[in-house]
Amino acid sequence: MTGPGRVAVVGLGLIGGSLARLLHRRGVDVVATDVVPASREAARRAGLVVADDVTGCVTAADLVVLAVPLRVMGVVAEQVAGAAPAHATVTDVGSVKGPVRDAVRAAGLGDRFVGAHPMSGTERSGFDASSDDLLDGVAWAMTVDDPTTTDRDRLLAVLALVTGVLRGRVTVVTDDVHDEAAALVSHVPHVLATQLLNTVAGAPVRHVALRLAAGSFRDGTRVAFSDPARTEAMVAQNAGWVAPALRKVVRDLELLVEALETNGGTHGFFHGADDLRAAGRPGAAHREDGRERLGTAGEWPAALVERCTAGAVVVGVDEGALELEAPTP
């Protein structure tokens, strides 16, 4: 595979800034921009090439990464559509995929868009919180609207960048599958962490509790120390999948409360995920002996989505094939 060419990163927050830093460190031709002058200046001080506006950022790009909040995605996508070369592929780094695709489609970029979501972050925000190692070697989701009609060359180009320069591992699925899964492993945990923090904040013994708080409270509330407005927006944007998942959480907790109040059985609640515990923490080990290859001729995107939905991940791209890590039996 050839290199990615020029990559334009629009938005220099935690994720966009970290991506631009890592691409720069790996020798990629990257130019970035942000609507906030202070963020642009901070990026310049960090050694990045920074344009003053979206047009200057994307005008010679081969790949455009949208790293802006969803509330401005439509406006930014329209600016990109008016300035980026026709051959440029567009991708993003947002935690919800369906609404982003709607925004880029409305801007006329639907046939050039490949959804993407790096599964990494911190409770901090802004360019000053970004680093060149935050996205190094992390898991990514990549999404398509319809695998039978997606632009195979554009999908392949983004896969090559993420698994190559960024050393990532990619799960390729449809937008809906991504948004449902992200609700379970990202958005609902943010809600539960927020509720745990709220519970302590409203308790009459909050000062004693905070003095006694140790690892379990720290780990359980870490993401609750993120910007609450950002968390609120993320959860609301994926409400269609977050709400039913939370209903199950509430139902299970109500059953636990009832059992505790009536001296009933609680074994099922505490042992319901024993099979996951036995398998170990997600991402703890990679199966070097479980590799397979998927050729990139014919209708391979549909086959890839099917394999990834069953648990396979893309770990490499070479001439004529994708290297997959097979799902755990």
Short mmCIF file of all heavy atoms in Angstrom, two decimals, residues 200 205-218:
data_model
loop_
_atom_site.label_atom_id
_atom_site.label_comp_id
_atom_site.label_asym_id
_atom_site.label_seq_id
_atom_site.Cartn_x
_atom_site.Cartn_y
_atom_site.Cartn_z
N VAL A 200 -22.56 10.02 45.78
CA VAL A 200 -21.67 10.46 46.85
C VAL A 200 -21.84 11.95 47.12
O VAL A 200 -21.85 12.39 48.27
CB VAL A 200 -20.21 10.12 46.50
CG1 VAL A 200 -19.26 10.73 47.52
CG2 VAL A 200 -20.02 8.61 46.43
N VAL A 205 -22.86 11.70 54.41
CA VAL A 205 -21.51 11.34 54.89
C VAL A 205 -20.48 11.51 53.76
O VAL A 205 -19.45 10.84 53.76
CB VAL A 205 -21.49 9.88 55.42
CG1 VAL A 205 -22.37 9.74 56.65
CG2 VAL A 205 -21.92 8.89 54.33
N ARG A 206 -20.75 12.40 52.83
CA ARG A 206 -19.89 12.54 51.65
C ARG A 206 -18.44 12.81 52.03
O ARG A 206 -17.51 12.28 51.38
CB ARG A 206 -20.40 13.64 50.72
CG ARG A 206 -20.49 15.02 51.34
CD ARG A 206 -20.93 16.06 50.31
NE ARG A 206 -19.83 16.45 49.44
CZ ARG A 206 -19.97 17.28 48.41
NH1 ARG A 206 -21.17 17.77 48.09
NH2 ARG A 206 -18.93 17.61 47.67
N HIS A 207 -18.19 13.62 53.07
CA HIS A 207 -16.82 13.97 53.42
C HIS A 207 -16.05 12.76 53.94
O HIS A 207 -14.88 12.55 53.58
CB HIS A 207 -16.81 15.11 54.45
CG HIS A 207 -17.48 16.35 53.96
ND1 HIS A 207 -17.00 17.07 52.88
CD2 HIS A 207 -18.59 17.01 54.38
CE1 HIS A 207 -17.78 18.12 52.67
NE2 HIS A 207 -18.76 18.09 53.56
N VAL A 208 -16.71 11.95 54.74
CA VAL A 208 -16.07 10.73 55.22
C VAL A 208 -15.86 9.77 54.06
O VAL A 208 -14.80 9.16 53.92
CB VAL A 208 -16.92 10.07 56.33
CG1 VAL A 208 -16.30 8.73 56.75
CG2 VAL A 208 -17.06 10.99 57.51
N ALA A 209 -16.89 9.63 53.22
CA ALA A 209 -16.79 8.72 52.08
C ALA A 209 -15.62 9.09 51.17
O ALA A 209 -14.86 8.21 50.72
CB ALA A 209 -18.10 8.73 51.30
N LEU A 210 -15.46 10.35 50.90
CA LEU A 210 -14.38 10.78 50.02
C LEU A 210 -13.01 10.56 50.66
O LEU A 210 -12.03 10.25 49.96
CB LEU A 210 -14.57 12.25 49.64
CG LEU A 210 -15.77 12.53 48.73
CD1 LEU A 210 -15.97 14.02 48.55
CD2 LEU A 210 -15.60 11.85 47.37
N ARG A 211 -12.94 10.70 51.99
CA ARG A 211 -11.68 10.41 52.68
C ARG A 211 -11.33 8.93 52.59
O ARG A 211 -10.15 8.55 52.55
CB ARG A 211 -11.78 10.81 54.15
CG ARG A 211 -11.74 12.30 54.40
CD ARG A 211 -10.36 12.86 54.14
NE ARG A 211 -10.26 14.26 54.55
CZ ARG A 211 -9.17 15.00 54.38
NH1 ARG A 211 -8.12 14.46 53.79
NH2 ARG A 211 -9.15 16.25 54.78
N LEU A 212 -12.33 8.08 52.56
CA LEU A 212 -12.11 6.64 52.53
C LEU A 212 -12.03 6.06 51.13
O LEU A 212 -11.70 4.89 50.96
CB LEU A 212 -13.24 5.94 53.31
CG LEU A 212 -13.36 6.28 54.79
CD1 LEU A 212 -14.56 5.58 55.40
CD2 LEU A 212 -12.08 5.92 55.54
N ALA A 213 -12.35 6.86 50.14
CA ALA A 213 -12.40 6.36 48.75
C ALA A 213 -11.03 5.85 48.32
O ALA A 213 -10.01 6.50 48.52
CB ALA A 213 -12.87 7.47 47.82
N ALA A 214 -11.06 4.68 47.68
CA ALA A 214 -9.81 4.07 47.20
C ALA A 214 -9.98 3.66 45.74
O ALA A 214 -10.69 4.31 44.97
CB ALA A 214 -9.44 2.89 48.09
N GLY A 215 -9.37 2.55 45.37
CA GLY A 215 -9.31 2.16 43.97
C GLY A 215 -10.64 1.94 43.29
O GLY A 215 -10.85 2.34 42.15
N SER A 216 -11.57 1.29 43.97
CA SER A 216 -12.84 0.97 43.32
C SER A 216 -13.62 2.24 42.99
O SER A 216 -14.22 2.35 41.91
CB SER A 216 -13.69 0.05 44.21
OG SER A 216 -13.95 0.66 45.46
N PHE A 217 -13.61 3.22 43.90
CA PHE A 217 -14.30 4.48 43.63
C PHE A 217 -13.56 5.27 42.56
O PHE A 217 -14.17 5.85 41.66
CB PHE A 217 -14.42 5.30 44.91
CG PHE A 217 -15.19 6.58 44.73
CD1 PHE A 217 -16.57 6.57 44.64
CD2 PHE A 217 -14.53 7.80 44.64
CE1 PHE A 217 -17.29 7.75 44.47
CE2 PHE A 217 -15.23 8.97 44.47
CZ PHE A 217 -16.61 8.95 44.38
N ARG A 218 -12.24 5.29 42.65
CA ARG A 218 -11.44 6.01 41.65
C ARG A 218 -11.68 5.46 40.25
O ARG A 218 -11.94 6.21 39.30
CB ARG A 218 -9.95 5.90 42.00
CG ARG A 218 -9.01 6.58 41.01
CD ARG A 218 -7.59 6.04 41.17
NE ARG A 218 -7.53 4.62 40.84
CZ ARG A 218 -6.77 3.74 41.49
NH1 ARG A 218 -6.03 4.12 42.52
NH2 ARG A 218 -6.76 2.47 41.12
#
